[in-house]
């Protein structure tokens, strides 16, 4: 059986480390790091993610501010709120939870966030700084994946890493991190990739971030591969109180029979994204205060 990459446990270790650092900051007369979260509309999944982020702030001793707006807010008004947070010296970092309603440009909003308060690591400047030797704020989900591998002492150097899904938030920045800091040989697959299996079968480390339950079957995975599943799709499940369960992109039941390490969904990469957000907020506070 493979080793489960327990994102919940690693995330809680990281939060305990951050809590100690926050206590030291306060002992030294500094205020606690302060994260603001903007959420627009009433998408259930987004509210669940935001609840998790607030819970993490409480656990590590950060201050937090939640700003909730109706789905009808104009882009102009939202940009004004972003601007206010950019210039508010009490706020060390902030995020705008995605997705946003269709009438609002995600790129315009994210690019208006000051790079040194961009604790999601979405801004182009932070994306580019992945290949700098002293990045300040790293894209949160890919950084969480790298940290998970590091804490399980999984060596990436010289390994064949295949990433399925080339999104701006996960696959593309992770490809850069795997190459630059991980020294892996990286293949980045996307929806136009021909014969996906021929790539995934070569992977020593396979990362999947697409959002299609069970896309990756046992036949597509090499024996002994490390498998990281970033997918989280809500699928109907009448046995659950909520009426749904979270499903990853990997056929966990069968792939886990041949993988050496594998992430569960939920409880794998998800908690690591939140841990990264906490790490980035602490870094932003140290940089900005
Ligand atoms: N929506 C889904 N994941 C994320 C994330 O990591 N950050 C933000 N801001 N929105 C998201």
């Amino acid at each position: 059986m493979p080793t489960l990459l327990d994102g919940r446990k690693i995330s809680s270790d990281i939060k305990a480390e951050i809590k100690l650092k926050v206590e030291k900051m306060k002992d030294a007369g500094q205020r606690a790091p302060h994260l603001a979260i903007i959420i627009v509309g009433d998408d259930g999944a987004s509210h669940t993610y935001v609840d998790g982020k607030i819970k993490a702030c409480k656990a590590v001793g950060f201050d937090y501010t939640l700003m909730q707006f109706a789905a009808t807010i104009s882009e102009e008004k939202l940009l004004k709120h972003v601007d206010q947070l950019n210039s508010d010296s009490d706020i060390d970092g902030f995020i705008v939870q995605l997705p946003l309603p269709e009438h609002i440009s995600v790129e315009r909003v994210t690019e208006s966030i000051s790079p040194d308060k961009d604790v999601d690591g979405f801004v182009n400047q932070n994306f580019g700084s992945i290949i700098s030797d002293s990045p300040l704020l790293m894209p949160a989900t890919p950084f969480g994946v790298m940290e998970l591998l590091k804490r399980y002492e999984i060596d990436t150097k010289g390994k064949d890493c295949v990433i399925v899904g080339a999104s701006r938030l996960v696959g593309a920045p992770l490809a850069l991190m795997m190459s630059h800091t991980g020294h892996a040989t990286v293949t980045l697959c996307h929806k136009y990739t021909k014969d996906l299996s021929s790539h995934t079968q070569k992977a020593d480390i396979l990362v999947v971030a697409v959002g299609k339950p069970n896309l990756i079957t046992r036949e597509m995975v090499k024996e002994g591969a490390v498998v990281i599943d970033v997918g989280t799709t809500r699928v109907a499940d009448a046995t659950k109180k909520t009426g749904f369960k979270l499903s990853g992109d990997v056929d966990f039941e069968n792939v886990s029979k041949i993988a050496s390490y594998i992430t569960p969904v939920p409880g794998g990469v998800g908690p690591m994204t939140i841990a990264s957000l906490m790490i980035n907020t602490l870094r932003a506070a140290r940089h900005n205060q």
Side-chain angles (χ1 to χ4, degrees):
M1 281 307 277
T3 302
L4 274 193
L5 295 169
D6 187 347
R8 271 197 198 114
K9 152 122 196 6
I10 301 296
S11 169
S12 98
D13 292 349
I14 291 172
K15 284 185 284 189
E17 292 160 19
I18 293 176
K19 186 166 185 260
L20 285 179
K21 289 176 183 162
V22 172
E23 279 161 11
K24 278 197 183 140
M25 279 175 91
K26 286 188 187 162
D27 288 346
Q30 269 177 286
R31 63 166 174 76
H34 188 167
L35 173 70
I37 300 175
I38 292 181
I39 183 165
V40 179
D42 47 19
D43 177 67
S46 292
H47 278 272
T48 306
Y49 294 139
V50 165
D51 288 348
K53 291 169 187 182
I54 288 174
K55 203 171 144 202
C57 283
K58 289 179 183 165
V60 299
F62 288 176
D63 293 329
Y64 65 90
T65 297
L66 177 63
M67 299 167 75
Q68 301 190 68
F69 301 108
T72 49
I73 189 174
S74 67
E75 183 178 291
E76 198 189 346
K77 268 205 174 141
L78 185 59
L79 288 171
K80 277 210 177 111
H81 288 292
V82 168
D83 247 7
Q84 278 162 4
L85 291 173
N86 280 336
S87 51
D88 184 341
S89 58
D90 276 342
I91 301 291
D92 298 300
F94 65 98
I95 65 167
V96 179
Q97 186 67 25
L98 302 179
L100 289 170
E102 272 183 13
H103 66 276
I104 298 176
S105 157
V106 171
E107 175 140 33
R108 219 169 289 141
V109 171
T110 50
E111 279 307 303
S112 67
I113 298 172
S114 170
D116 56 10
K117 291 193 175 186
D118 166 38
V119 285
D120 259 327
F122 284 176
V123 171
N124 288 336
Q125 185 176 318
N126 287 324
F127 188 110
S129 82
I130 293 170
I131 51 167
S132 122
D133 289 331
S134 51
L136 175 65
L137 302 174
M138 295 288 244
T141 299
F143 183 58
V145 170
M146 297 302 289
E147 197 61 26
L148 190 59
L149 292 169
K150 187 166 136 194
R151 299 229 174 190
Y152 276 88
E153 299 180 348
I154 295 171
D155 193 15
T156 53
K157 196 172 177 179
K159 297 283 165 62
D160 286 324
C161 173
V162 177
I163 299 167
V164 183
S167 70
R168 171 75 178 70
L169 299 190
V170 185
L174 182 62
L176 281 181
M177 281 181 204
M178 278 285 182
S179 165
H180 184 73
T181 29
H183 304 294
T185 304
V186 179
T187 303
L188 183 55
C189 301
H190 44 72
K191 62 182 170 188
Y192 300 111
T193 296
K194 287 181 285 171
D195 192 5
L196 182 61
S197 294
S198 69
H199 297 283
T200 58
Q201 281 162 351
K202 289 190 191 130
D204 301 313
I205 300 169
L206 177 62
V207 185
V208 195
V210 174
K212 272 196 190 161
N214 297 325
L215 173 73
I216 302 297
T217 57
R218 179 176 170 154
E219 301 71 48
M220 297 171 79
V221 179
K222 185 167 83 172
E223 182 109 28
V226 176
V227 180
I228 311 277
D229 191 349
V230 189
T232 44
T233 306
R234 283 182 168 194
V235 295
D237 184 343
T239 67
K240 302 270 176 204
K241 234 185 351 196
T242 52
F244 66 85
K245 65 171 183 177
L246 284 184
S247 173
D249 293 340
V250 174
D251 172 4
F252 182 89
E253 191 187 335
N254 291 305
V255 172
S256 62
K257 290 178 181 147
I258 55 164
S260 56
Y261 293 85
I262 191 165
T263 54
V265 176
V269 175
M272 293 304 297
T273 299
I274 295 186
S276 302
L277 180 65
M278 300 296 111
I279 292 173
N280 275 346
T281 305
L282 179 66
R283 283 188 181 166
R286 286 178 162 166
H287 180 260
N288 298 339
Q289 281 184 28

